[in-house]
Each structure stands twice: as structure tokens, then as C-alpha cells.
Coordinates of all heavy atoms in Angstrom, one line a residue:
V124 N 0.8 -1.2 0.0 CA 0.0 0.0 0.0 C 0.9 1.3 0.0 O 0.6 2.2 -0.8 CB -1.0 0.0 1.2 CG1 -1.8 1.3 1.3 CG2 -1.9 -1.2 1.2
D125 N 1.9 1.3 0.9 CA 2.8 2.4 1.0 C 4.2 1.9 1.2 O 4.4 0.8 1.9 CB 2.4 3.3 2.2 CG 1.2 4.1 2.0 OD1 1.0 4.7 0.9 OD2 0.4 4.1 2.9
G126 N 5.2 2.7 0.8 CA 6.6 2.3 1.1 C 7.2 1.4 0.1 O 6.7 1.1 -0.9
Q127 N 8.4 0.9 0.5 CA 9.2 0.0 -0.3 C 9.6 -1.2 0.5 O 10.2 -1.1 1.5 CB 10.5 0.7 -0.8 CG 10.2 2.0 -1.6 CD 9.7 1.7 -3.0 OE1 10.2 0.8 -3.7 NE2 8.7 2.4 -3.4
L128 N 9.3 -2.4 -0.1 CA 9.7 -3.7 0.5 C 10.6 -4.4 -0.4 O 10.3 -4.5 -1.6 CB 8.4 -4.5 0.8 CG 7.4 -4.0 1.8 CD1 6.2 -4.9 1.9 CD2 8.1 -3.8 3.2
E129 N 11.7 -4.9 0.1 CA 12.6 -5.8 -0.6 C 12.1 -7.3 -0.3 O 12.2 -7.7 0.8 CB 14.0 -5.6 -0.2 CG 15.0 -6.5 -1.0 CD 16.4 -6.3 -0.5 OE1 16.8 -7.0 0.5 OE2 17.1 -5.5 -1.0
I130 N 11.6 -7.9 -1.4 CA 11.0 -9.3 -1.2 C 11.8 -10.3 -2.0 O 12.1 -10.0 -3.2 CB 9.5 -9.3 -1.6 CG1 8.8 -8.3 -0.7 CG2 9.0 -10.7 -1.4 CD1 7.3 -8.2 -1.0
T131 N 12.3 -11.3 -1.3 CA 13.0 -12.4 -2.0 C 12.1 -13.6 -2.0 O 11.7 -14.1 -0.9 CB 14.3 -12.7 -1.3 OG1 15.1 -11.4 -1.3 CG2 15.1 -13.8 -2.0
I132 N 11.9 -14.2 -3.2 CA 11.2 -15.4 -3.3 C 12.0 -16.4 -4.1 O 12.4 -16.1 -5.3 CB 9.8 -15.2 -4.1 CG1 9.0 -14.2 -3.4 CG2 9.1 -16.5 -4.2 CD1 7.8 -13.7 -4.1
A133 N 12.3 -17.6 -3.5 CA 13.1 -18.6 -4.2 C 14.4 -18.1 -4.8 O 14.8 -18.4 -5.9 CB 12.3 -19.3 -5.3
G134 N 15.1 -17.2 -4.0 CA 16.3 -16.6 -4.4 C 16.3 -15.4 -5.3 O 17.3 -14.8 -5.6
E135 N 15.1 -15.0 -5.8 CA 15.0 -13.8 -6.7 C 14.5 -12.6 -5.8 O 13.4 -12.7 -5.1 CB 13.9 -14.1 -7.8 CG 13.8 -12.9 -8.7 CD 12.8 -13.1 -9.8 OE1 12.3 -14.3 -10.0 OE2 12.4 -12.1 -10.5
T136 N 15.2 -11.5 -5.8 CA 14.9 -10.4 -5.0 C 14.5 -9.2 -5.9 O 15.1 -8.9 -6.9 CB 16.2 -9.9 -4.2 OG1 16.6 -11.0 -3.4 CG2 15.9 -8.7 -3.4
R137 N 13.4 -8.6 -5.5 CA 12.8 -7.4 -6.2 C 12.4 -6.4 -5.1 O 12.0 -6.8 -4.0 CB 11.7 -7.8 -7.0 CG 12.0 -8.8 -8.1 CD 11.5 -8.2 -9.5 NE 11.9 -9.2 -10.5 CZ 11.1 -9.5 -11.5 NH1 9.9 -8.9 -11.6 NH2 11.4 -10.3 -12.4
V138 N 12.3 -5.2 -5.5 CA 11.7 -4.1 -4.7 C 10.2 -3.9 -5.1 O 10.0 -3.7 -6.3 CB 12.5 -2.8 -4.7 CG1 11.8 -1.7 -3.9 CG2 13.9 -3.0 -4.2
A139 N 9.3 -4.0 -4.1 CA 7.9 -3.8 -4.4 C 7.5 -2.5 -3.7 O 7.7 -2.3 -2.5 CB 7.1 -5.0 -3.8
G140 N 6.8 -1.7 -4.5 CA 6.2 -0.4 -4.0 C 4.7 -0.4 -4.1 O 4.1 -1.4 -4.4
P141 N 4.2 0.8 -3.8 CA 2.7 1.0 -3.8 C 2.1 0.5 -5.1 O 2.6 0.7 -6.2 CB 2.5 2.5 -3.6 CG 3.8 2.9 -2.9 CD 4.9 2.1 -3.5
G142 N 1.0 -0.3 -4.9 CA 0.3 -0.9 -6.1 C 0.8 -2.2 -6.5 O 0.2 -2.8 -7.4
C143 N 1.9 -2.7 -6.0 CA 2.5 -3.9 -6.4 C 1.9 -5.1 -5.6 O 1.8 -5.0 -4.4 CB 4.0 -3.9 -6.2 SG 4.9 -5.3 -6.9
A144 N 1.6 -6.2 -6.3 CA 1.2 -7.4 -5.6 C 2.2 -8.4 -5.8 O 2.8 -8.6 -6.9 CB -0.2 -7.8 -6.1
V145 N 2.6 -9.2 -4.8 CA 3.6 -10.2 -4.9 C 3.0 -11.5 -4.4 O 2.5 -11.6 -3.3 CB 4.8 -9.8 -4.0 CG1 5.9 -10.9 -4.0 CG2 5.4 -8.5 -4.3
V146 N 3.1 -12.5 -5.3 CA 2.5 -13.8 -5.0 C 3.6 -14.8 -4.6 O 4.6 -15.0 -5.3 CB 1.8 -14.4 -6.2 CG1 1.2 -15.8 -5.9 CG2 0.6 -13.5 -6.7
V147 N 3.5 -15.4 -3.4 CA 4.4 -16.4 -2.9 C 3.7 -17.7 -2.9 O 2.7 -17.9 -2.2 CB 4.8 -16.0 -1.4 CG1 5.8 -17.1 -0.9 CG2 5.4 -14.6 -1.3
P148 N 4.2 -18.6 -3.8 CA 3.6 -19.9 -3.9 C 3.8 -20.7 -2.6 O 4.7 -20.5 -1.8 CB 4.3 -20.6 -5.0 CG 5.0 -19.5 -5.8 CD 5.3 -18.4 -4.8
P149 N 2.9 -21.7 -2.3 CA 3.1 -22.6 -1.2 C 4.4 -23.3 -1.1 O 5.0 -23.6 -2.2 CB 2.0 -23.6 -1.3 CG 1.0 -23.1 -2.3 CD 1.8 -22.1 -3.2
D150 N 5.0 -23.5 0.1 CA 6.2 -24.2 0.3 C 7.4 -23.6 -0.5 O 8.3 -24.3 -0.9 CB 6.0 -25.7 -0.1 CG 4.9 -26.3 0.7 OD1 4.9 -26.2 1.9 OD2 4.1 -27.0 0.1
T151 N 7.4 -22.3 -0.6 CA 8.5 -21.6 -1.3 C 9.2 -20.7 -0.3 O 8.6 -19.9 0.3 CB 7.9 -20.8 -2.5 OG1 7.2 -21.6 -3.4 CG2 9.0 -20.1 -3.3
A152 N 10.5 -20.8 -0.3 CA 11.3 -19.9 0.6 C 11.2 -18.5 0.2 O 11.3 -18.1 -1.0 CB 12.8 -20.3 0.6
H153 N 10.9 -17.6 1.2 CA 10.8 -16.2 1.0 C 11.2 -15.4 2.2 O 11.2 -15.9 3.3 CB 9.4 -15.8 0.5 CG 8.3 -16.2 1.5 ND1 7.9 -17.5 1.7 CD2 7.6 -15.4 2.3 CE1 6.9 -17.5 2.6 NE2 6.7 -16.2 3.0
S154 N 11.6 -14.1 2.0 CA 11.9 -13.2 3.1 C 11.5 -11.8 2.6 O 11.3 -11.5 1.5 CB 13.4 -13.3 3.4 OG 14.2 -12.9 2.3
V155 N 11.4 -10.9 3.6 CA 10.9 -9.5 3.4 C 11.7 -8.6 4.2 O 12.0 -8.9 5.4 CB 9.4 -9.3 3.7 CG1 9.0 -7.9 3.4 CG2 8.6 -10.3 2.9
K156 N 12.2 -7.5 3.6 CA 12.9 -6.4 4.4 C 12.2 -5.1 4.0 O 12.0 -4.8 2.8 CB 14.4 -6.4 4.1 CG 15.1 -5.3 4.9 CD 16.6 -5.3 4.6 CE 17.2 -4.2 5.4 NZ 18.7 -4.1 5.1
A157 N 11.9 -4.3 5.0 CA 11.3 -2.9 4.8 C 12.5 -2.0 4.5 O 13.3 -1.7 5.4 CB 10.5 -2.5 5.9
L158 N 12.5 -1.4 3.3 CA 13.5 -0.4 2.9 C 13.1 1.0 3.5 O 14.0 1.8 3.7 CB 13.7 -0.4 1.4 CG 14.2 -1.7 0.8 CD1 14.3 -1.5 -0.7 CD2 15.5 -2.2 1.4
T159 N 11.8 1.2 3.6 CA 11.3 2.4 4.2 C 10.1 1.9 5.1 O 9.8 0.8 5.1 CB 10.7 3.3 3.1 OG1 9.5 2.6 2.5 CG2 11.7 3.6 2.0
D160 N 9.6 2.9 5.9 CA 8.3 2.6 6.6 C 7.3 2.1 5.5 O 7.3 2.7 4.4 CB 7.8 3.8 7.3 CG 8.6 4.1 8.5 OD1 9.5 3.3 8.9 OD2 8.4 5.2 9.1
A161 N 6.5 1.1 5.8 CA 5.6 0.6 4.8 C 4.3 0.1 5.4 O 4.2 -0.2 6.6 CB 6.3 -0.6 4.0
R162 N 3.3 0.0 4.5 CA 2.1 -0.7 4.8 C 1.8 -1.7 3.8 O 2.0 -1.4 2.6 CB 0.9 0.3 4.9 CG 1.0 1.3 6.1 CD -0.2 2.2 6.3 NE -0.5 2.9 5.1 CZ -1.8 3.0 4.6 NH1 -2.8 2.4 5.1 NH2 -2.0 3.6 3.4
A163 N 1.2 -2.8 4.2 CA 0.9 -3.9 3.2 C -0.3 -4.7 3.8 O -0.5 -4.8 5.0 CB 2.1 -4.8 3.0
I164 N -1.1 -5.2 2.8 CA -2.1 -6.1 3.2 C -1.7 -7.5 2.7 O -1.3 -7.6 1.5 CB -3.5 -5.7 2.5 CG1 -3.9 -4.3 3.0 CG2 -4.6 -6.8 2.8 CD1 -5.1 -3.7 2.3
V165 N -1.7 -8.5 3.5 CA -1.2 -9.8 3.2 C -2.4 -10.8 3.4 O -3.0 -10.8 4.4 CB 0.0 -10.2 4.0 CG1 0.5 -11.6 3.7 CG2 1.1 -9.2 3.9
V166 N -2.6 -11.6 2.3 CA -3.6 -12.6 2.4 C -3.0 -14.0 2.2 O -2.2 -14.3 1.4 CB -4.6 -12.4 1.2 CG1 -5.8 -13.4 1.3 CG2 -5.2 -10.9 1.3
D167 N -3.4 -14.9 3.1 CA -3.0 -16.3 3.1 C -4.2 -17.2 2.9 O -5.3 -17.0 3.4 CB -2.4 -16.7 4.5 CG -1.0 -16.1 4.6 OD1 0.0 -16.7 4.1 OD2 -0.8 -15.1 5.3
Y168 N -3.9 -18.2 2.1 CA -4.9 -19.3 1.8 C -4.2 -20.6 1.9 O -3.2 -20.8 1.2 CB -5.6 -19.1 0.4 CG -6.5 -20.3 0.1 CD1 -7.8 -20.3 0.6 CD2 -6.0 -21.4 -0.6 CE1 -8.6 -21.4 0.3 CE2 -6.9 -22.5 -0.8 CZ -8.1 -22.4 -0.4 OH -9.0 -23.5 -0.6
P169 N -4.7 -21.6 2.6 CA -5.9 -21.5 3.5 C -5.5 -20.7 4.8 O -4.4 -20.2 4.9 CB -6.2 -22.9 3.8 CG -4.9 -23.7 3.7 CD -4.1 -22.9 2.6
R170 N -6.5 -20.6 5.6 CA -6.4 -19.8 6.9 C -5.2 -20.2 7.7 O -4.8 -21.4 7.7 CB -7.6 -20.0 7.8 CG -8.9 -19.3 7.3 CD -10.0 -19.7 8.1 NE -9.9 -19.3 9.5 CZ -10.9 -19.0 10.3 NH1 -12.1 -19.1 9.8 NH2 -10.7 -18.7 11.5

């Protein structure tokens, strides 16, 4: 929603900013670092 997040999924790193959606598949290694103050909405399925 706001700010910049550095997101790594399966060894690939990208910077995600406002309006970006990032899909993490099940059982896939991932990490997140906030480069700035940020806001995000995260949805997990299943609960």
C-alpha cells in the first residue's frame, strides 16, 4: 500500500512499492525487508 519492501522469493529479489502485488507460492522460501516505513495487506490461503 505504501513504502518500499525488498522481497526475496526462491532466491529472486525485487523491490515492491505501492500498487505492487507479490504472489508467494506454497512451500516456497521467501523473506521480506522494509527499505522504508511501509504498509501492506497480506492474504494467506488457507487460513
Side-chain angles (χ1 to χ4, degrees):
V124 176
D125 289 314
Q127 300 287 315
L128 297 175
E129 180 182 86
I130 302 178
T131 302
I132 303 171
E135 180 180 352
T136 301
R137 297 231 181 140
V138 175
C143 187
V145 180
V146 178
V147 181
D150 302 313
T151 303
H153 59 286
S154 62
V155 179
K156 180 179 179 183
L158 301 177
T159 66
D160 288 348
R162 289 187 309 132
I164 299 169
V165 180
V166 181
D167 284 280
Y168 174 85
R170 288 172 61 150

